[in-house]
Amino acid sequence: MKVLNDLLKYQNLKIYQDPECFVFSLDSILLPNFVTIRKNTKRILDICTGTAPIPLILSRKTKASIIGVEIQKNIADLAEESIKINGLDDQIKIINADIKTYQTEEKFDLITCNPPYFKVTSLKNLNENQAKSIARHEITIDLETIIKISSKLLNDQGIFGLVHRPSRLIEIVNLCEKYNLEIKKIQFVYPRINEEANIVLIEAIKNGKSQLKVLEPIITYDGLEYTNQIKKYFE
């Protein structure tokens, strides 16, 4: 079932989604608003692009060329339709491929990724809907592979932006160090005041110098409403 929606409250941005598969969440709004986009950023890669919410938002922040790679054909097709209806064919290209076997001679200035969060510990934990399982669990790709590939495809001093769960932060730090990605800034996201963080945003630089900033926390909700911190992303 294909539906066309506004991309949250972004004006003049539409996105095709299939609620029976998987729809994007706030994570995909936070990451493109968190990651640093330099003036000399020319090429961007979004891994696990889904229906392309991250490339769409990035297109409002930069004129750089953007490639989104998505392994599931039906999801990649929706992303392609979203790009066309927004008139962004000249800036954003969607590739239906497994990033593990994706062949390119290009190097990128910025790589973003909103990956599957959960390890596959038991088949019982998987959703019966295959598309949702692939989006949520590390069935087709795992965290180490994402970080390894990102390091390989980045230019020297290129930026890697990742959104994930705080429970896997130590693993992320260790893997970034293993593949020469120096973490430069971290930001935790909390559903509400006095609740535990449920999202962590991470930015690393390939072969960067050691210097870490922990940014002020983001609080998502004030009661049932988004906080002003979140609402600013929709302006």
Side-chain angles (χ1 to χ4, degrees):
M1 181 177 68
K2 181 176 71 174
V3 295
L4 179 64
N5 299 118
D6 292 330
L7 182 50
L8 294 185
K9 296 181 181 179
Y10 282 91
Q11 292 184 356
N12 302 321
L13 273 182
K14 304 288 185 179
I15 189 167
Y16 279 104
Q17 297 197 92
D18 184 348
E20 294 180 0
C21 290
F22 189 79
V23 296
F24 75 91
S25 61
L26 183 63
D27 311 28
S28 294
I29 305 299
L30 293 171
L31 182 58
N33 283 288
F34 164 81
V35 74
T36 301
I37 303 173
R38 298 168 174 150
K39 290 183 180 180
N40 62 348
T41 296
K42 302 297 183 185
R43 291 183 297 276
I44 299 174
L45 174 66
D46 184 46
I47 299 173
C48 306
T49 201
T51 53
I54 291 175
L56 287 170
I57 294 171
L58 288 174
S59 75
R60 290 295 184 261
K61 298 175 174 293
T62 178
K63 298 299 182 182
S65 171
I66 305 171
I67 292 176
V69 178
E70 170 56 42
I71 193 171
Q72 300 190 74
K73 187 179 187 308
N74 59 325
I75 304 299
D77 288 346
L78 290 175
E80 184 67 35
E81 289 189 62
S82 295
I83 302 311
K84 289 180 180 178
I85 199 171
N86 287 291
L88 293 168
D89 309 64
D90 292 338
Q91 184 180 10
I92 303 174
K93 181 179 180 181
I94 301 299
I95 296 176
N96 174 215
D98 185 338
I99 191 65
K100 299 192 298 296
T101 56
Y102 173 53
Q103 299 294 322
T104 179
E105 298 299 322
E106 282 190 293
K107 295 286 186 178
F108 297 90
D109 304 305
L110 169 62
I111 295 178
T112 55
C113 185
N114 180 4
Y117 287 161
F118 306 108
K119 294 183 179 182
V120 180
T121 56
S122 171
L123 295 179
K124 294 179 181 179
N125 295 331
L126 299 182
N127 195 296
E128 292 182 3
N129 184 310
Q130 185 182 31
K132 290 183 178 180
S133 291
I134 290 173
R136 292 171 175 167
H137 292 83
E138 295 179 334
I139 296 171
T140 62
I141 195 165
D142 60 20
L143 181 58
E144 179 164 9
T145 303
I146 288 169
I147 292 174
K148 180 180 179 180
I149 290 172
S150 296
S151 181
K152 178 183 177 181
L153 294 179
L154 275 172
N155 283 316
D156 188 51
Q157 300 298 307
I159 293 174
F160 173 59
L162 180 73
V163 58
H164 219 290
R165 290 295 178 95
S167 59
R168 299 190 68 180
L169 179 57
I170 299 302
E171 183 182 359
I172 293 167
V173 170
N174 290 337
L175 288 171
C176 283
E177 182 177 9
K178 179 178 179 180
Y179 293 105
N180 301 314
L181 295 172
E182 185 67 35
I183 295 178
K184 305 294 284 186
K185 66 177 183 179
I186 293 177
Q187 190 168 32
F188 292 98
V189 183
Y190 298 78
R192 293 175 177 81
I193 294 175
N194 299 324
E195 293 185 359
E196 293 184 0
N198 64 341
I199 298 171
V200 62
L201 298 159
I202 296 166
E203 180 177 280
I205 294 181
K206 183 175 179 178
N207 298 320
K209 295 180 180 179
S210 179
Q211 185 180 16
L212 173 64
K213 291 183 180 180
V214 179
L215 305 184
E216 66 172 302
I218 294 174
I219 310 298
T220 306
Y221 292 104
D222 181 5
L224 298 177
E225 297 287 329
Y226 280 136
T227 62
N228 289 333
Q229 282 180 295
I230 299 298
K231 288 178 180 177
K232 72 179 183 182
Y233 296 135
F234 306 142
E235 294 175 355

